[in-house]
Amino acid sequence: MSGITGWVDRQRDLTHEGGAVAAMTAGLVRGAHGDRHWHSPHALLGHAADALEAPAAQPAVAEQDGRPLAAITFDGVLDNSARLRAELGPAGPSGALDTDAQLVLHGYLRWGCAVAEHLDGLFAFAIWDARSSELVLCRDRFGVKPLSYLPLPHGALFASEAAALGAHPLAGNELDAEGLCALLAQVRRPGHSVLRRVREVRPAHLVRLGPEGVREHRYWQLRARPHTEDLASTIATTRGLLEEAIAREAPGGSPAVLLSGGLDSSALTALVAQGVAAGPRTFTVSFGESAAGVPDRPFAQAVVDHVGCAHQEVLVDPATLTEPATLAAVLAAKDFPSPFGDKNLTPYLFYRQVAAHTPVALSGEAADAVFGGLISDQERAATEHRTFPWIERARAFGLANGIGNDLFDPELLRSIGFTGFCAERYQEAREEVPHLPGAPADDRRAREIDHLHMTRLYEQAVNHSERLAAAAGLQVRFPFSDHRLFDYLYNVPWRMKSFDGRDKSLLRTIAADLLPAAVLDRPKVPFPITYHAGYKQSLAERLREVLTDQDAPVRPLLDLAKAWQVVDDPRRLDRGGWLGRADTEMVLQLDGWLRARRIRPAL
């Protein structure tokens, strides 16, 4: 949850330009425990430390005869540090290999860009290679750690957050039609940000920016392979892979777990408990008596009693959800607007309280995608698919343009080509899906949905949690996101993933001897939202303020008549449960983002 920034230019002398990168580093939401910078004539690197590292540890530099060979700024945590240290030896050009950053830098000097293939964990890093005048940017296999960059004629700017990138005077905050489509669809063209000219390092990719231009290299990808194990062996292999993933992610052998009482977090808690002498420490979010419509407390308590956890219930006061400071902090943490409202606010406030007790916690996020929990029998059996599954589900509730977009002007959506943008992104995503020749139709569709969720919807799950937690000062790790586990399960036939007629059959079977029956049989439920009357009232009031402000940047984008209907009749916020509220949330978030970043859409 640290942050990285930098500016390289192969022709311009940057000796006296440190203030620009310092401003970028200061603009990071991530890493609130001190920052440092490294300067050379053609490269400036910045680093903001998290609670688990010493601020003086980065950026790290490798030298020879007093001259720098390369320097690195690194965000993340490696799961295989001990193995790398053994492979690389006790010391590198800059001395002892005590930190993950030093290990990656020394690995780069040994293996070059192939170093990415040697790394396990969640990471994003930038290396300035003084020998070749090349900037190397890299991101973990699922892109959990963020990293954006802006190519320049003779170099680049980069930062963990697009907002920090925008703090540099050479970076423009320009939103064009494609960027607005990407915001509203919550899906981007691979490698592109929502802002014009800004790029994102793609998951499992390494980007080289040097004298030869911009070159991308993909160092890992899913592959379709025949599955040869029977059901019993599949269950055993899956459990072994999951236990190994948990062991790699468990800091100090006694990790904290974020427990909701659902199958995913409960199974994670029970498996963690097997490897610790005392029960793991667990945290559950609560709204008190004004709770959400999905009470987690009884199920979480059942797990705590069964496993023997040191448990703490974290109370989130619904009144804090509408505080301006909270709204601004969450928007900054996410870096871009979204329609998820208190589904963003509540986790941020929850993580902030958990961070007061532990610097690291494990989460059950990603289990749905990994274990096939996001595909219904109807979706698997359907013969015609025109868009992403989550947009199709929204349309089933009457939301023609997906979640959160019902208050935007239909003519605007037509003029920016929103429908065509979504269709192009969907076709693009489908073409990436690895299939086995001759695979049954239901297996092909199951693979497709799993792949779409892991490569496109992941940002609304794991990445969403990582960014909110990082801003709150908590490092969250995701054992279900282990690439070995997903690579294996991706090739398990659908009939095995749902062998007992239910979703996530494999995970439920693995946890069958570890959890109470009530938890095992609990239907899947979404993250809880507040139904506090004051929160809905606040949404209507804030929307009224936007509509009456002639200078509100989002106002020209709206169907004003429809938006006023929500203000005049707040019961419309309840349409489709949470979905009716998402339309207003997206308008308010987009308006706040445009104001905070001083962006005027150029459409």
Side-chain angles (χ1 to χ4, degrees), residues 571-593:
R571 290 176 299 179
R572 291 177 177 268
L573 293 169
D574 297 322
R575 179 170 62 92
W578 168 81
L579 292 173
R581 183 198 280 194
D583 298 325
T584 299
E585 301 275 17
M586 187 61 189
V587 169
L588 297 174
Q589 286 242 335
L590 181 57
D591 188 71
W593 180 73

Side-chain angles (χ1 to χ4, degrees), residues 109-180:
L109 295 175
R110 170 80 64 86
W111 300 305
C113 290
V115 65
E117 300 166 24
H118 293 260
L119 307 179
D120 286 345
L122 306 180
F123 55 83
F125 64 82
I127 292 176
W128 168 248
D129 190 332
R131 303 166 302 176
S132 60
S133 295
E134 188 173 56
L135 175 67
V136 178
L137 304 175
C138 188
R139 222 168 147 203
D140 61 71
R141 289 168 179 80
F142 292 124
V144 176
K145 295 293 182 179
L147 185 56
S148 297
Y149 67 100
L150 176 63
L152 299 173
H154 303 291
L157 305 172
F158 66 87
S160 296
E161 300 159 11
L165 195 69
H168 194 284
L170 292 180
N173 288 323
E174 303 173 38
L175 180 70
D176 58 15
E178 178 175 317
L180 182 57

Side-chain angles (χ1 to χ4, degrees), residues 267-296:
L268 175 60
T269 300
L271 288 166
V272 166
Q274 293 184 122
V276 296
R281 190 170 195 178
T282 51
F283 296 87
T284 298
V285 66
S286 170
F287 292 91
E289 297 308 316
S290 60
V294 182
D296 286 335

Side-chain angles (χ1 to χ4, degrees), residues 126-340:
I127 292 176
W128 168 248
D129 190 332
R131 303 166 302 176
S132 60
S133 295
E134 188 173 56
L135 175 67
V136 178
L137 304 175
C138 188
R139 222 168 147 203
D140 61 71
R141 289 168 179 80
F142 292 124
V144 176
K145 295 293 182 179
L147 185 56
S148 297
Y149 67 100
L150 176 63
L152 299 173
H154 303 291
L157 305 172
F158 66 87
S160 296
E161 300 159 11
L165 195 69
H168 194 284
L170 292 180
N173 288 323
E174 303 173 38
L175 180 70
D176 58 15
E178 178 175 317
L180 182 57
C181 285
L183 280 177
L184 299 182
Q186 298 292 305
V187 176
R188 297 191 283 280
R189 189 150 48 113
H192 287 246
S193 173
V194 302
L195 297 172
R196 196 171 73 85
R197 300 193 302 136
V198 176
R199 298 292 181 262
E200 294 178 348
V201 179
R202 298 177 64 180
H205 277 68
L206 183 144
V207 178
R208 302 167 64 183
L209 299 101
E212 298 179 5
V214 180
R215 293 175 289 171
E216 283 189 276
H217 166 65
R218 183 167 194 162
Y219 65 87
W220 179 84
Q221 61 184 330
L222 285 169
R223 300 188 186 278
R225 298 183 301 274
H227 186 73
T228 58
E229 295 183 331
D230 61 17
L231 180 58
S233 297
T234 298
I235 293 169
T237 299
T238 302
R239 180 162 183 163
L241 288 169
L242 184 53
E243 289 174 340
E244 290 172 5
I246 291 171
R248 282 190 291 270
E249 297 291 354
S254 183
V257 184
L258 305 177
L259 173 63
S260 72
L263 175 62
D264 305 341
S265 65
S266 298
L268 175 60
T269 300
L271 288 166
V272 166
Q274 293 184 122
V276 296
R281 190 170 195 178
T282 51
F283 296 87
T284 298
V285 66
S286 170
F287 292 91
E289 297 308 316
S290 60
V294 182
D296 286 335
R297 179 184 294 166
F299 298 96
Q301 190 62 49
V303 176
V304 169
D305 294 341
H306 190 84
V307 174
C309 305
H311 186 62
Q312 186 166 342
E313 193 171 89
V314 175
L315 178 65
V316 172
D317 182 353
T320 62
L321 299 176
T322 59
E323 292 178 352
T326 302
L327 297 171
V330 168
L331 181 57
K334 291 296 292 288
D335 215 10
F336 298 106
S338 74
F340 303 112

Side-chain angles (χ1 to χ4, degrees), residues 70-107:
I72 186 172
T73 180
F74 176 90
D75 169 26
V77 59
L78 298 180
D79 298 335
N80 62 334
S81 297
R83 191 183 75 204
L84 281 173
R85 197 168 285 110
E87 289 183 47
L88 293 169
S94 57
L97 303 181
D98 296 325
T99 68
D100 286 349
Q102 290 169 331
L103 284 169
V104 175
L105 182 59
H106 189 39

Side-chain angles (χ1 to χ4, degrees), residues 240-581:
L241 288 169
L242 184 53
E243 289 174 340
E244 290 172 5
I246 291 171
R248 282 190 291 270
E249 297 291 354
S254 183
V257 184
L258 305 177
L259 173 63
S260 72
L263 175 62
D264 305 341
S265 65
S266 298
L268 175 60
T269 300
L271 288 166
V272 166
Q274 293 184 122
V276 296
R281 190 170 195 178
T282 51
F283 296 87
T284 298
V285 66
S286 170
F287 292 91
E289 297 308 316
S290 60
V294 182
D296 286 335
R297 179 184 294 166
F299 298 96
Q301 190 62 49
V303 176
V304 169
D305 294 341
H306 190 84
V307 174
C309 305
H311 186 62
Q312 186 166 342
E313 193 171 89
V314 175
L315 178 65
V316 172
D317 182 353
T320 62
L321 299 176
T322 59
E323 292 178 352
T326 302
L327 297 171
V330 168
L331 181 57
K334 291 296 292 288
D335 215 10
F336 298 106
S338 74
F340 303 112
D342 64 315
K343 287 177 177 283
N344 292 335
L345 299 166
T346 299
Y348 170 75
L349 294 170
F350 173 52
Y351 295 149
R352 196 167 67 180
Q353 293 195 55
V354 173
H357 301 278
T358 178
V360 182
L362 305 187
S363 167
E365 289 277 13
D368 276 327
V370 172
F371 282 92
L374 292 168
I375 175 173
S376 67
D377 289 337
Q378 292 84 355
E379 288 172 326
R380 182 173 52 84
T383 57
E384 186 176 5
H385 307 282
R386 298 179 179 176
T387 189
F388 296 100
W390 49 95
I391 295 180
E392 286 187 345
R393 293 169 201 150
R395 287 176 176 172
F397 285 94
L399 307 177
N401 295 306
I403 296 173
N405 299 327
D406 200 44
L407 298 185
F408 290 95
D409 183 359
E411 183 54 40
L412 168 76
L413 298 180
R414 283 191 290 271
S415 69
I416 64 176
F418 180 71
T419 300
F421 175 87
C422 293
E424 289 173 9
R425 301 289 77 77
Y426 178 57
Q427 185 58 36
E428 186 176 68
R430 290 189 72 186
E431 290 172 356
E432 292 180 11
V433 181
H435 286 295
L436 280 175
D442 59 350
D443 273 351
R444 290 182 63 85
R445 181 57 177 164
R447 282 180 192 268
E448 180 179 293
I449 289 182
D450 285 350
H451 198 273
L452 291 176
H453 280 91
M454 286 298 284
T455 60
R456 299 305 192 275
L457 195 67
Y458 203 65
E459 186 166 317
Q460 298 174 24
V462 172
N463 296 8
H464 148 99
S465 296
E466 194 278 340
R467 285 148 182 72
L468 291 172
L474 179 69
Q475 187 180 106
V476 176
R477 300 177 184 174
F478 309 93
F480 289 114
S481 290
D482 183 82
H483 67 278
R484 302 169 192 80
L485 178 66
F486 186 52
D487 185 67
Y488 177 77
L489 287 172
Y490 181 74
N491 289 292
V492 172
W494 174 252
R495 64 182 180 276
M496 282 192 178
K497 290 183 178 179
S498 59
F499 68 85
D500 61 359
R502 303 178 64 183
D503 64 342
K504 294 190 284 193
S505 301
L506 294 175
L507 182 58
R508 191 172 284 103
T509 301
I510 288 169
D513 61 338
L514 304 174
L515 293 173
V519 175
L520 288 168
D521 295 333
R522 184 187 184 189
K524 177 176 174 54
V525 295
F527 188 87
I529 63 172
T530 181
Y531 288 91
H532 192 271
Y535 184 75
K536 291 193 292 181
Q537 181 181 353
S538 172
L539 287 179
E541 290 174 353
R542 290 164 56 209
L543 182 58
R544 181 190 296 275
E545 291 174 4
V546 167
L547 297 179
T548 55
D549 181 357
Q550 297 296 319
D551 295 324
V554 78
R555 195 174 185 276
L557 311 179
L558 303 181
D559 182 331
L560 295 176
K562 186 175 284 189
W564 274 112
Q565 289 175 358
V566 175
V567 173
D568 295 336
D569 182 9
R571 290 176 299 179
R572 291 177 177 268
L573 293 169
D574 297 322
R575 179 170 62 92
W578 168 81
L579 292 173
R581 183 198 280 194

